[in-house]
């Protein structure tokens, strides 16, 4: 039975995917039939969710795969020209415009060769997804997010086949494809596992910033309240309302992975006393243990330095080792808090510890 958090993680992608064009390349005839069959069933679900699909067949019998798509109730139509034909783009767009998924012969090319990328760019795809016999492994394992500009530096850490795919994927991104996913097509369920989780199971090369820390937007406030609600209940933190956060929205920052918010932190300044509080630090349960909390704290420490704030502090009743061992904070006392913050703390009745860091 799926966990509730798993369902939420899937559902957050549906609005993002609806109406987008995904170009799925598949080595039909090479991959195991059960894996291909499950991929087609998953593609049928994507189609139902409003994703526009182009399926590029890299090998095998095109008619067989087309027949399979009909068996899986994909609303498919074949492009009569191969992917190398300039007129294939117009035909594919006409098929997509009718609300059907397009199937095209890509067997005369490699999975990420220039004709494939040219076709994808002209069709306007959001993602190129290659389900292949070979995959990109960096030091023996997939790496979910690789910036295109970093690809060349990782070539020594993969094999010859992986290096060629990695560099081709990076070049595709540099030319304008936002995301290229290279997946192990032998693995059943790989398509859903890759697309409907923030961390994925394959290797994705991306053109833009995939994981960023940015300022909180007003539309993020409900998401932030949902995240911190669990921590409020478990650690007796002061409950925050929509209005509380909105009134100090400039203090808050969120970490977003593929534009999905996974963590937050706040920096509350006390300029008269030349200090600031690192507060409201939270990372979603399914993203814990990846160092995101440290990244969030370092981000607001950097902001404090840029503002000329010489010292930051934090209050916590559960994360002493996190602040002292991982972040280098020192134990402090309530007397070290700014006057206003000390009054709030004493009125709250909380038993939090105080930690402090002199910024260098």
């Amino acid at each position: 039975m799926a966990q509730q958090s798993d369902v939420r993680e899937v559902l957050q992608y549906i609005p993002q995917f609806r109406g987008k064009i995904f170009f799925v390349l598949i080595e039909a005839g090479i991959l195991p039939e059960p894996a291909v069959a499950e991929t087609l069933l998953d593609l049928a679900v994507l189609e139902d969710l409003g994703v526009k699909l182009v399926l590029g067949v890299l090998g095998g019998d095109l008619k067989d795969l087309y027949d399979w798509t009909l068996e899986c109730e994909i609303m498919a139509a074949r492009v009569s020209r191969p992917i190398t034909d300039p007129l294939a783009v117009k035909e594919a767009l006409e098929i997509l415009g009718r609300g059907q998924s397009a199937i095209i012969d890509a067997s005369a090319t490699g999975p990420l060769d220039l004709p494939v990328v040219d076709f994808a760019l002209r069709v306007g795809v959001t993602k190129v997804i290659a389900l292949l016999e070979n995959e990109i492994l960096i030091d023996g394992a997939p790496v979910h997010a690789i910036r295109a500009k970093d690809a060349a530096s990782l070539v020594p850490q993969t094999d010859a086949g992986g290096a060629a795919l990695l560099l081709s994927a990076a070049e595709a991104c540099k030319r304008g494809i936002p995301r290229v996913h290279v997946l192990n097509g032998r693995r059943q369920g790989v398509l859903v596992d890759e697309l409907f989780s923030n961390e994925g199971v394959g290797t994705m090369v991306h053109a833009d910033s995939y994981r960023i820390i940015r300022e909180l937007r007003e539309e993020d406030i409900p998401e932030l309240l949902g995240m911190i609600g669990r921590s409020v209940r478990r650690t007796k933190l002061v409950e925050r309302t929509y209005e509380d956060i909105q009134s100090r929205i400039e203090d808050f920052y969120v970490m977003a992975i593929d534009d999905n918010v996974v963590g937050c932190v706040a920096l509350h300044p006390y300029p008269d006393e030349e200090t600031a509080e690192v507060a409201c630090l939270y990372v979603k349960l399914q993203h814990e243990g990846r160092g995101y909390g440290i990244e969030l704290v370092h981000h607001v420490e950097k902001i404090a330095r840029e503002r000329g704030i010489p010292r930051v502090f934090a209050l916590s009743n559960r994360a002493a080792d996190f602040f002292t061992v991982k972040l280098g904070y020192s134990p402090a006392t309530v007397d070290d808090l700014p006057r206003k913050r000390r009054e709030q703390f004493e009125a709250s009745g909380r038993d939090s510890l105080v930690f402090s860091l002199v910024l260098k």
Side-chain angles (χ1 to χ4, degrees):
M1 181 179 296
Q3 297 295 316
Q4 192 176 47
S5 59
D6 296 334
V7 175
R8 291 195 189 106
E9 190 167 2
V10 169
L11 291 177
Q12 70 184 349
Y13 283 95
I14 293 174
Q16 294 183 34
F17 288 170
R18 189 177 293 121
K20 301 297 193 301
I21 302 174
F22 290 2
F23 185 22
V24 182
L25 295 154
I26 184 167
E27 287 188 324
I30 298 175
L31 301 176
E33 287 192 0
V36 174
E38 186 158 352
T39 293
L40 294 176
L41 290 170
D42 292 339
L43 289 172
V45 173
L46 286 175
E47 187 181 68
D48 288 342
L49 294 176
V51 177
K52 299 179 180 182
L53 298 172
V54 179
L55 180 59
V57 184
L58 292 169
D61 190 315
L62 181 65
K63 183 180 182 304
D64 277 352
L65 195 69
Y66 172 67
D67 290 342
W68 273 27
T69 62
L70 300 182
E71 289 289 332
C72 295
E73 299 184 350
I74 295 175
M75 297 182 294
R78 289 175 58 177
V79 178
S80 64
R81 297 174 174 85
I83 201 168
T84 51
D85 189 322
L87 296 178
V89 172
K90 180 175 182 293
E91 189 175 347
L93 290 172
E94 288 173 351
I95 292 170
L96 294 172
R98 299 196 298 261
Q100 294 176 288
S101 296
I103 298 181
I104 189 166
D105 181 3
S107 59
T109 71
L112 296 173
D113 286 355
L114 288 179
V116 174
V117 177
D118 286 340
F119 173 85
L121 287 169
R122 293 173 66 194
V123 170
V125 308
T126 301
K127 293 179 181 288
V128 173
I129 305 165
L131 291 103
L132 309 175
E133 184 178 33
N134 296 318
E135 56 186 322
I136 300 172
L137 300 178
I138 305 299
D139 293 330
V143 176
H144 182 52
I146 298 174
R147 292 181 298 181
K149 65 180 182 179
D150 296 334
S153 67
L154 296 173
V155 165
Q157 297 168 245
T158 187
D159 58 22
L165 287 170
L166 179 59
L167 294 175
S168 295
E171 182 60 27
C173 290
K174 290 173 184 176
R175 294 185 61 206
I177 304 295
R179 303 275 192 274
V180 177
H181 301 254
V182 179
L183 310 181
N184 179 358
R186 292 181 171 277
R187 173 177 169 173
Q188 289 182 235
V190 68
L191 187 64
V192 166
D193 290 341
E194 173 71 8
L195 294 180
F196 289 100
S197 69
N198 287 322
E199 304 304 331
V201 295
T203 293
M204 181 191 72
V205 181
H206 58 98
D208 54 6
S209 297
Y210 177 71
R211 188 176 79 234
I212 61 171
I213 298 175
R214 58 169 173 78
E215 295 177 349
L216 181 73
R217 303 167 185 157
E218 188 163 351
E219 61 266 28
D220 298 322
I221 295 178
E223 178 78 14
L224 187 148
L225 288 169
M227 279 196 301
I228 66 177
R230 174 173 172 268
S231 186
V232 167
R233 291 190 298 274
R234 290 193 171 193
T235 63
K236 300 180 182 178
L237 294 180
V238 177
E239 187 171 358
R240 291 175 171 84
T241 66
Y242 189 102
E243 291 73 23
D244 292 335
I245 295 172
Q246 187 181 42
S247 67
R248 304 182 73 175
I249 194 169
E250 68 279 359
D251 290 358
F252 288 85
Y253 302 86
V254 294
M255 175 178 284
I257 297 179
D258 209 10
D259 210 30
N260 293 314
V261 173
V262 302
C264 61
V265 70
L267 182 72
H268 300 313
Y270 294 86
D272 292 342
E273 299 180 66
E274 296 187 318
T275 188
E277 179 181 7
V278 176
C280 199
L281 176 64
Y282 187 75
V283 174
K284 283 185 177 179
L285 184 63
Q286 62 266 39
H287 297 280
E288 290 180 350
R290 297 186 172 96
Y292 295 164
I294 294 173
E295 284 188 45
L296 285 161
V297 174
H298 285 334
H299 182 79
V300 292
E301 289 173 354
K302 179 175 181 288
I303 291 171
R305 289 188 188 93
E306 292 170 350
R307 295 179 182 176
I309 298 172
R311 184 178 70 90
V312 293
F313 67 92
L315 286 82
S316 177
N317 57 4
R318 293 171 63 91
D321 286 348
F322 174 78
F323 280 102
T324 57
V325 176
K326 295 186 177 180
L327 290 167
Y329 283 57
S330 300
T333 69
V334 175
D335 292 335
D336 296 315
L337 297 177
R339 180 184 58 79
K340 183 178 179 180
R341 187 67 182 93
R342 183 168 62 249
E343 291 172 355
Q344 292 173 338
F345 175 78
E346 291 172 345
S348 72
R350 292 175 56 201
D351 59 352
S352 297
L353 299 174
V354 181
F355 304 95
S356 177
L357 179 71
V358 177
L359 300 174
K360 298 177 181 178

